[in-house]
């Protein structure tokens, strides 16, 4: 069980800080857009949310999060996939 956990932690470490940074940036941008929209308008909250375009920021963050979580599985610059395959072979029984 400990070997499986180490493989999972290797994958998580490669993307968790990027995800936290992305969520913090998304929150800041949405807060700025919402504050700007609410200060310019005195209409209902639904209209303010619609005019603030925070849904586009959320959609872009979801796409970026998908890319961030997808990249560790691809072997572009590092050999993380090779390490995971090598560690995975130690647990296989023939």
């Amino acid at each position: 069980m400990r070997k499986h956990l180490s493989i999972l932690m290797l994958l998580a470490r490669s993307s968790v800080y990027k995800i936290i940074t992305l969520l913090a940036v998304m929150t800041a941008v949405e807060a700025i857009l919402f504050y700007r929209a609410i200060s310019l308008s005195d209409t209902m909250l639904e209209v303010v949310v619609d005019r603030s375009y925070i849904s586009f920021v959320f959609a872009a963050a979801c796409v970026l999060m998908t890319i961030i979580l997808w990249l560790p599985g691809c072997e572009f610059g590092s050999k993380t996939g090779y390490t995971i395959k090598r560690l995975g072979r130690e647990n296989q029984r023939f």
Side-chain angles (χ1 to χ4, degrees), residues 25-71:
V25 169
M26 180 194 73
T27 304
V29 170
E30 286 182 350
I32 291 169
L33 288 174
F34 183 75
Y35 177 74
R36 193 185 81 181
I38 206 163
S39 66
L40 295 175
S41 177
D42 290 332
T43 60
M44 296 175 47
L45 184 63
E46 298 161 353
V47 176
V48 171
V49 170
D50 190 41
R51 289 183 183 171
S52 66
Y53 301 110
I54 60 175
S55 59
F56 294 117
V57 175
F58 177 74
C62 285
V63 169
L64 287 173
M65 188 180 305
T66 303
I67 292 170
I68 289 170
L69 292 173
W70 171 68
L71 283 177

